[in-house]
Amino acid sequence: MMLELLGHLIKIAAVIGVMLGFVAYTVMLERWACAWMQDRIGPNRVGPFGVLQPLADGLKFIFKEDVLPHHVNKVYFCIAPVVTMIPGLIAMAVIPWGSNLPIAGHVIKGVIADLNVGILFIFAISSLGVYGIVLAGWASNSKYPFLGGIRSSAQMISYEVCLGLSVVPVFMQAGSLNLMKVVEYQAAHTWLVLCQPLSFFIFLVSAFAETNRTPFDLPEAEQELVGGYHTEYSSMKFAMFFLGEYAAMFVQSALMVTLFFGGWSLPFAPFNAPATELWVGAVQIGVFLAKVVCFLFLFIWVRWTIPRFRYDQLMALGWKIFIPLTIVNILLVAVVLALVAK
Amino acid sequence: MNVHDTLFWFFSIAMLLCGVFVIANRNPVASAMALVLMFLFMAGLFVLLEAFFIAAIQVLVYAGAVMVLFLFVIMLLDIKASERRRFAFLGVFGGIVVAGAFVWEMRIILSQPVIPLQSGNTDLSAGLENVVKPLFQHYMLPFEVTALLLLVAMVGVVLLSKKDLK
């Protein structure tokens, strides 16, 4: 019992640690990629090739003056950044990082909570993230943050619907809401992106909208809203919004890898089945993280390539195009599955 | 007291405190946030009952969707005006009557003999099927009728919220 509890605690610490490390270096990757795309050098002063830059950034955020404007609602102003950051960390609990890690007779599962309603858990938890932004916009008690908060909450509620409906065909085909089972299904058959390309495309676009990334970053459109909902924030509170955004990106990437790109599996032996040896399990975790990094790069690549949508275009895309498309997609997949079952 | 009991008391007491906070607070945003917390603790109680599906839906629908829309509307109101609002004694009286009736009702229900859980099905993998199978096999018609009613209500709301009908 105690040993089991200890194992879980180590697993939780490892997942949070690795994830925060990835978040810090995604910011770094973003700065490098943007510099490269704009033909600049990018950060290269701290450590060899600038690899210690995230450490320096973190220290800078901590030592900056934490300004608390007098016109804000203090309690909610301070809670908002925390509420933005936490859901991303909690959502990782049900995403399978690997299959098994067989160590000295014990088999350690590659997921913290092997929940049967895994995907619903993720949607439930990440739907709470919008509170942080709404509260930040309202508690700041000034115009631009408020407009940013309003825009963001409308956008996130709309695209949550698309996100939820677009993955239904995946679970219809895999036959389980458990994310581990979905990955095992893909390892045994084929990656679901090949069977459900429309689902994947809608999920990908909605994920960009849900994380407030370009081309859907209207809540913090600099030209119109200064900084949007985090205009009044400074120091570590601002950094937490930043971390929250990148943590959400990480979760969405991990979700896309898990649902559509085979999670920890590779389409050849011995990596296409749950591991029975330690090194296979370790490689599978590496495979998962490598796939996630590809999607993180895609997020960054798109940000520095595509211009921003207009607000009415964003809403029309979500409600008038994606939602009807996802419903038709669900219907089609149901008919095809019923015909195949016959 | 084991972990299960400790968590039960923690969730229950926290839930009741949040509930009191919802009605005692004068700031509507604080009330709404207390209600969200209350939904989260209630989801915790569902998890203790191993009803993971209900817990997830509870958070997803009430905390994640309904309350966000509530908050959205509240934020556009004049908060200062409602903070100045005094206690309405008629409202307090009505509340006490309703709460008393509820307690009385609960006493009747709790004095009934306890029905034990049917079958020892604690297999976690059956969680979702237990909810879905009866819904789509035994109660198919009521389920579809409910869906139709909701659709009608939705169309009605869209129609009413249009300013000028063509």
Side-chain angles (χ1 to χ4, degrees):
Chain A
M1 176 67 195
M2 278 311 284
L3 203 69
E4 207 177 310
L5 193 68
L6 194 71
H8 277 297
L9 285 179
I10 291 174
K11 227 156 49 171
I12 292 170
V15 164
I16 290 182
V18 170
M19 188 169 161
L20 286 181
F22 262 80
V23 165
Y25 274 90
T26 313
V27 180
M28 188 69 210
L29 181 69
E30 172 124 43
R31 295 176 68 177
W32 266 329
C34 129
W36 176 54
M37 291 178 77
Q38 297 173 341
D39 204 12
R40 293 185 282 114
I41 298 170
N44 66 346
R45 293 290 105 179
V46 192
F49 304 107
V51 287
L52 296 179
Q53 185 72 35
L55 266 178
D57 283 350
L59 277 176
K60 191 188 79 178
F61 272 126
I62 291 169
F63 286 121
K64 281 244 169 157
E65 185 191 354
D66 192 4
V67 182
L68 196 64
H70 71 277
H71 54 77
V72 302
N73 184 325
K74 295 205 172 49
V75 180
Y76 292 105
F77 188 78
C78 296
I79 291 177
V82 185
V83 178
T84 316
M85 205 184 92
I86 297 295
L89 298 181
I90 298 179
M92 283 316 287
V94 293
I95 291 182
W97 285 50
S99 54
N100 301 312
L101 277 181
I103 295 175
H106 293 280
V107 175
I108 300 173
K109 271 189 178 173
V111 53
I112 294 174
D114 198 8
L115 217 56
N116 271 77
V117 290
I119 189 68
L120 286 173
F121 176 84
I122 291 188
F123 282 140
I125 294 297
S126 47
S127 71
L128 298 178
V130 65
Y131 282 110
I133 292 170
V134 172
L135 284 178
W138 175 78
S140 292
N141 208 2
S142 72
K143 289 186 193 67
Y144 292 125
F146 187 70
L147 288 173
I150 291 279
R151 273 190 185 184
S152 171
S153 43
Q155 175 179 336
M156 285 172 87
I157 295 168
S158 308
Y159 277 88
E160 233 166 64
V161 181
C162 297
L163 218 54
L165 285 175
S166 70
V167 293
V168 170
V170 170
F171 296 102
M172 281 160 72
Q173 192 176 350
S176 173
L177 287 183
N178 185 327
L179 293 176
M180 199 65 161
K181 297 244 170 69
V182 173
V183 176
E184 276 165 20
Y185 174 87
Q186 293 181 77
H189 297 80
T190 171
W191 289 5
L192 282 169
V193 65
L194 300 175
C195 312
Q196 312 284 357
L198 185 61
S199 265
F200 169 67
F201 177 71
I202 295 173
F203 189 92
L204 180 72
V205 177
S206 304
F208 276 84
E210 192 67 14
T211 48
N212 290 332
R213 293 282 298 186
T214 319
F216 306 112
D217 62 341
L218 295 120
E220 40 186 307
E222 291 90 348
Q223 297 91 328
E224 306 155 26
L225 295 179
V226 192
Y229 55 87
H230 55 57
T231 303
E232 304 281 350
Y233 283 87
S234 54
S235 182
M236 210 51 210
K237 291 202 193 80
F238 172 74
M240 279 165 94
F241 277 116
F242 219 66
L243 286 180
E245 180 182 328
Y246 283 87
M249 258 166 74
F250 189 91
V251 171
Q252 297 292 354
S253 303
L255 212 50
M256 277 187 274
V257 168
T258 307
L259 295 178
F260 297 101
F261 284 83
W264 40 257
S265 70
L266 279 179
F268 50 85
F271 305 111
N272 58 358
T276 46
E277 283 170 82
L278 182 59
W279 72 272
V280 178
V283 168
Q284 280 172 338
I285 292 178
V287 166
F288 171 79
L289 288 176
K291 287 177 182 172
V292 170
V293 170
C294 291
F295 274 101
L296 287 174
F297 182 72
L298 182 70
F299 270 97
I300 293 165
W301 187 11
V302 167
R303 173 165 178 188
W304 298 103
T305 310
I306 299 179
R308 188 178 295 137
F309 271 62
R310 229 171 44 221
Y311 196 67
D312 57 321
Q313 292 173 328
L314 169 86
M315 283 299 166
L317 182 71
W319 288 100
K320 292 184 186 161
I321 300 178
F322 278 174
I323 291 181
L325 257 183
T326 50
I327 292 173
V328 170
N329 193 23
I330 291 172
L331 201 69
L332 279 180
V333 171
V335 168
V336 170
L337 284 179
L339 287 179
V340 169
K342 258 186 186 176
Chain B
M1 215 156 48
N2 57 17
V3 181
H4 194 280
D5 287 353
T6 318
L7 283 175
F8 171 77
W9 287 112
F10 172 72
F11 285 137
S12 312
I13 292 169
M15 203 176 107
L16 289 175
L17 281 180
C18 288
V20 170
F21 202 68
V22 172
I23 51 170
N25 216 293
R26 295 286 87 189
N27 182 337
V29 171
S31 289
M33 290 317 290
L35 195 57
V36 172
L37 263 186
M38 202 198 85
F39 285 137
L40 291 183
F41 288 125
M42 197 192 274
L45 285 180
F46 282 127
V47 169
L48 286 184
L49 290 170
E50 299 193 347
F52 296 110
F53 179 68
I54 308 285
I57 292 296
Q58 166 89 17
V59 177
L60 186 62
V61 174
Y62 285 102
V66 174
M67 283 316 290
V68 174
L69 292 178
F70 260 73
L71 203 63
F72 207 87
V73 175
I74 291 171
M75 284 193 332
L76 297 171
L77 299 174
D78 184 7
I79 302 271
K80 293 260 164 55
S82 59
E83 266 180 343
R84 281 194 298 272
R85 208 162 37 111
R86 301 276 303 277
F87 272 108
F89 286 99
L90 195 66
V92 173
F93 177 73
I96 289 173
V97 169
V98 172
F102 182 72
V103 169
W104 184 57
E105 199 179 26
M106 284 308 284
R107 245 196 70 200
I108 294 176
I109 292 171
L110 290 178
S111 64
Q112 304 289 321
V114 178
I115 307 163
L117 279 176
Q118 288 175 346
S119 79
N121 191 354
T122 50
D123 180 16
L124 296 184
S125 64
L128 197 55
E129 278 90 60
N130 286 346
V131 179
V132 172
K133 278 214 172 115
L135 211 55
F136 281 97
Q137 285 173 353
H138 281 282
Y139 305 108
M140 186 70 186
L141 188 66
F143 180 71
E144 293 297 337
V145 170
T146 315
L148 198 68
L149 278 177
L150 285 173
L151 184 69
V152 170
M154 205 162 75
V155 172
V157 168
V158 171
L159 205 66
L160 285 176
S161 60
K162 275 205 164 179
K163 271 190 182 144
D164 49 332
L165 296 173
K166 276 174 197 160

